[in-house]
Structures are given as structure tokens and as C-alpha cells.
């Protein structure tokens, strides 16, 4: 059986219902086709054009990787679910200002994180729009939040793993601190990905070396011992403290509110500064409690100079202020993080929390409350 084709050799479209064919918008589209004003995009996207597009949109580096790349096997199902027909993932890196990230003032560092986050989202959206205008189907998942909370806690909540894609595309290598280290910009980048339904003429190649210089400063900076010298990583310790005012910490706080008998009981559990900080995170973008592993990292050609010139001064001006800062450290009871924090940073108050990962304590009965009441 042969397929009917139009005069240009393309497969002919089936006839439209009369009512649909008479619609002004339909007639306009068909008229443009007959006039040759609607062209088909190239089957393969030019890599140089794509890179220039990404840089013009606000990215500081970009590379494409095929969804068939062996290191992306775990991403294929998720990518195809987000954009059926995805062929290529475009990884982009956006730089952060280093001294903002290094500041002991968390408001300064958090502002930098969130401003760069917005810049990365904006860049990815611009690239997606340009690809769409060129005739491709494209989609840009969020850099971070918002994510698919309806999936929590049964499955992963992110649409695409930006770090995994960036490493496969050659934008960097995963460091000891579990952040991607860019060969030029170091750890001071945020990552974002665009999905597109076409191949690209040239794909990025994974780095043949690790930009990490094995200084172990991220180990020294982490206040809850989440990073070990041998490469082990305690993700629960990291998220319990650093993400205290994100999802898990909010859950823990909500449970505390629900479990408090009255305002006085609540204030005995949550300090005024903690309540104010949480309010700020609820009314503004949420604040990271640490991020020190990223702040002290000297890796990357644009970053490495001051560390090579005077390592002692680097320690005194970058590492020590974060180590010396008096701040509350949030840990799970009887955890390694609790023991480490108390031993390594005795000047930093340590507070036990559930982190939202554990069920709340059983509520006291009326009889229990009467027993405790003077």
C-alpha cells in the first residue's frame, strides 16, 4: 500500500472535517503552507548555533548530550515522561559571585543563590522559546523548586537530574562535596537543563580529569560532618541542617506547632530568632543554613589563584570565618552529625530535631498534661 503524497513529495494530510476546514485560523495556516511560509526545521540542530543561543540567553557555559548517553540511562524514562520524543539534553551553567557565597551572613549568600537560580531559569526559558520558534519541541524543568511534590515521598520529585546531565555533557565533574566542579568556574555555578526533540551536530565530551584539587576544605568547613575525607557522604546530615527551612524542616516545625500546648510551650521549643528566620523563608525564597562546602572550594581555573598565592590567607579569610561563626546546628538525635558537631564545633549550639523525616512524638494525654500542671 502506498501513502498519498502532496506535490512536494511530503505525506498528504487526511481531509479535514468541513467545519474545521472553514475555521479562519485553519484557513490561515493552510494558506501559509501553500505559500511556502512554513518551513520545517533542520533535523539536526547546529551545535555552534545552539551554544551561541545559550550564551546569549545568559548561560556562562553550555553543552549538549544525547539522551542515549550510557550515563543517562536513569534519566531516559523521566525525560520521555516530561517531553515525549526527547532526543537531546542541553546542560547550561550559570556563574555565581564567589564572595557573596562565602559570606558568613546567610542573607548575602542566600540572595546570591536565589538570584542565580532565577537567572538560570530565565536563560533556560529563553533557550526553550527560541527552539520552539525554530520549530522544535523543547522544555525546561526548574533549576530547583518548584518540583513534583505529589510524588513525595514515594519517588523522586525532580524532573531531571541537572548534575548528572552536566557531568555527562562535559561541564564538570562531581566533587567530594557532591557539587559539580566546572573546570573554569569551579563550584560557583548553578545548573539547568533543556530537553529538545532533535539531535545536535556535536555533543559535549566528559572531562578527562577532575578539577577537584583534593584540598579537603569542604570536609573542614561542613559543620555537621556530612563530608568524609574518604569520599563518604551523609546526605541525611546535610539535608537536616542545610535544608532546615526547606520542605523537611518546615514539616518538623509544623509538627512542633501542632504538638505545642500553647504559645509559651511553643516558645520553649522554638526560639524567637528561629521563628523569625522561618517566617523569612516562608515569605521569601527559603534560606540555606550552610552551603559552606561550596563556599570554601578553591577549584577551577578562575578561582584557584588566591589559594595558590597564599594558602594561609585563604584559610584565614575564607574558611575560618565560617568555622568560627556562632550558629545553631540542626542534627538528628544520636547521629554521627550530633557527635561531630559537638566535638568539632563546641562554640556552635547543637539542636536535636526530627528533620521531618521521623514521626512526631506522641501527643500527651489530658491526664499527662494535668500531671505536669502545677
Amino acid at each position: 500500500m502506498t501513502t498519498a503524497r502532496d506535490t512536494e513529495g511530503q505525506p498528504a494530510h487526511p481531509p479535514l472535517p468541513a467545519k474545521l476546514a472553514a475555521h479562519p485560523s485553519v484557513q490561515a495556516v493552510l494558506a501559509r503552507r501553500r505559500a511556502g511560509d512554513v518551513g520545517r526545521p533542520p533535523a539536526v540542530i547546529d551545535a555552534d548555533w545552539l551554544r551561541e543561543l545559550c550564551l546569549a540567553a545568559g548561560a556562562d557555559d553550555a553543552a549538549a548530550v544525547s539522551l542515549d548517553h550510557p550515563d543517562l540511562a536513569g534519566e531516559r524514562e523521566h525525560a520521555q515522561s516530561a517531553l515525549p520524543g526527547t532526543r537531546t539534553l542541553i546542560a547550561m551553567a550559570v556563574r555565581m559571585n564567589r564572595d557573596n557565597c562565602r559570606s558568613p551572613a546567610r542573607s548575602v549568600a542566600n540572595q546570591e543563590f536565589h538570584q542565580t537560580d532565577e537567572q538560570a531559569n530565565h536563560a533556560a526559558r529563553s533557550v526553550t522559546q527560541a527552539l520552539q520558534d525554530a520549530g522544535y519541541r523543547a522544555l525546561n524543568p526548574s533549576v530547583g523548586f518548584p518540583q513534583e511534590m505529589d510524588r513525595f515521598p514515594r519517588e523522586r520529585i525532580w524532573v531531571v537530574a541537572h548534575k548528572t546531565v552536566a557531568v555527562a555533557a562535559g561541564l564538570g565533574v562531581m566533587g567530594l562535596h557532591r557539587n559539580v566542579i566546572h573546570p573554569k568556574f569551579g563550584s560557583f555555578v548553578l545548573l539547568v537543563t533543556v530537553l529538545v526533540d532533535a539531535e545536535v551536530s556535536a555533543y559535549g565530551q566528559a572531562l578527562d580529569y577532575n578539577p577537584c584539587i583534593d584540598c579537603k576544605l569542604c570536609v573542614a568547613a561542613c559543620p555537621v560532618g556530612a563530608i568524609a575525607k574518604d569520599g563518604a557522604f551523609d546526605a541525611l546530615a546535610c539535608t537536616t541542617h542545610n535544608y532546615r527551612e526547606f520542605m523537611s524542616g518546615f514539616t518538623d516545625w509544623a509538627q512542633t506547632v501542632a504538638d505545642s500546648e500553647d504559645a509559651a510551650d511553643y516558645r520553649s521549643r522554638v526560639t524567637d530568632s528561629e521563628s523569625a528566620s522561618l517566617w523569612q523563608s516562608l515569605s521569601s525564597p527559603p534560606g540555606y543554613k550552610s552551603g559552606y562546602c561550596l563556599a570554601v572550594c578553591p577549584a577551577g581555573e578562575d578561582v584557584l589563584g588566591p589559594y595558590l598565592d597564599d594558602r594561609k590567607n585563604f584559610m584565614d579569610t575564607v574558611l575560618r570565618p565560617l568555622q568560627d561563626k556562632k550558629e545553631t546546628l540542626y542534627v538528628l538525635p544520636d547521629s554521627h552529625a550530633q557527635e561531630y558537631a559537638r566535638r568539632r564545633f563546641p562554640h556552635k549550639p547543637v539542636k536535636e530535631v526530627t528533620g521531618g523525616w521521623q514521626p512526631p512524638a506522641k501527643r500527651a494525654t489530658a491526664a499527662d498534661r494535668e500531671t505536669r500542671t502545677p
Side-chain angles (χ1 to χ4, degrees):
M1 179 182 227
T2 59
T3 302
R5 294 182 176 270
D6 61 20
T7 56
E8 296 180 353
Q10 297 296 330
H13 296 283
L16 299 174
K19 184 177 180 180
L20 183 60
H23 192 280
S25 297
V26 175
Q27 291 181 349
V29 170
L30 296 178
R32 286 203 304 271
R33 286 181 176 175
R34 288 193 295 269
D37 292 340
V38 181
R40 292 176 176 82
V44 177
I45 300 172
D46 181 74
D48 292 334
W49 174 84
L50 180 61
R51 177 173 171 78
E52 289 303 316
L53 173 64
C54 294
L55 298 182
D60 291 290
D61 198 4
V65 59
S66 171
L67 186 58
D68 292 331
H69 191 289
D71 292 348
L72 299 183
E75 294 300 307
R76 287 173 197 146
E77 178 183 353
H78 302 286
Q80 293 291 356
S81 176
L83 182 72
T86 297
R87 304 288 296 278
T88 296
L89 303 179
I90 305 163
M92 295 189 288
V94 179
R95 286 183 297 166
M96 292 187 285
N97 293 319
R98 296 190 291 272
D99 287 311
N100 282 351
C101 296
R102 291 168 173 167
S103 174
R106 298 316 299 156
S107 63
V108 176
N110 282 310
Q111 178 83 338
E112 183 62 28
F113 294 150
H114 290 300
Q115 286 291 316
T116 311
D117 184 282
E118 286 303 310
Q119 183 180 346
N121 277 324
H122 179 77
R125 183 178 182 276
S126 296
V127 170
T128 297
Q129 191 169 62
L131 289 169
Q132 173 185 274
D133 291 345
Y136 302 101
R137 297 184 66 232
L139 175 145
N140 60 294
S142 171
V143 171
F145 295 97
Q147 296 186 15
E148 306 306 298
M149 289 306 173
D150 59 306
R151 301 176 183 172
F152 181 84
R154 303 178 307 278
E155 55 185 297
R156 79 181 210 177
I157 59 177
W158 51 94
V159 174
V160 65
H162 301 300
K163 294 179 183 180
T164 302
V165 174
V167 171
L171 292 191
V173 174
M174 193 76 77
L176 195 66
H177 51 11
R178 300 317 190 267
N179 294 297
V180 172
I181 304 177
H182 188 276
K184 185 176 181 181
F185 310 130
S187 295
F188 298 93
V189 292
L190 287 184
L191 305 168
V192 68
T193 309
V194 172
L195 286 60
V196 64
D197 68 343
E199 295 181 353
V200 177
S201 61
Y203 290 118
Q205 300 296 317
L207 294 182
D208 58 3
Y209 73 100
N210 191 341
C212 174
I213 61 171
D214 201 31
C215 65
K216 302 294 196 299
L217 290 187
C218 57
V219 177
C222 181
V224 292
I227 309 169
K229 291 181 179 180
D230 62 2
F233 183 70
D234 187 344
L236 194 55
C238 174
T239 53
T240 298
H241 175 65
N242 190 31
Y243 291 85
R244 174 62 187 167
E245 293 178 4
F246 284 72
M247 176 181 63
S248 60
F250 171 81
T251 301
D252 183 56
W253 173 79
Q255 291 170 176
T256 300
V257 173
D259 201 45
S260 298
E261 296 179 355
D262 51 29
D265 186 26
Y266 169 79
R267 286 190 143 180
S268 72
R269 302 168 184 238
V270 183
T271 67
D272 288 348
S273 64
E274 287 177 313
S275 292
S277 184
L278 186 67
W279 164 82
Q280 182 169 260
S281 285
L282 290 173
S283 59
S284 303
Y288 299 89
K289 289 296 184 185
S290 182
Y292 298 167
C293 56
L294 180 154
V296 302
C297 180
E301 294 174 13
D302 280 4
V303 187
L304 194 52
Y307 178 80
L308 298 179
D309 294 339
D310 191 336
R311 282 177 287 173
K312 182 181 183 305
N313 182 65
F314 189 91
M315 304 283 194
D316 291 341
T317 59
V318 177
L319 175 63
R320 302 277 185 253
L322 300 176
Q323 290 180 320
D324 294 343
K325 180 181 179 180
K326 186 175 180 180
E327 60 187 328
T328 300
L329 305 180
Y330 297 94
V331 299
L332 298 176
D334 302 319
S335 62
H336 168 72
Q338 183 181 60
E339 182 277 326
Y340 180 91
R342 287 174 172 170
R343 170 173 52 83
R344 184 68 182 81
F345 299 103
H347 61 289
K348 296 178 185 278
V350 175
K351 185 168 185 175
E352 292 185 359
V353 296
T354 71
W357 309 113
Q358 301 173 6
K362 183 180 179 181
R363 288 183 63 87
T365 65
D368 292 334
R369 289 195 291 272
E370 288 175 3
T371 301
R372 293 205 306 264
T373 304

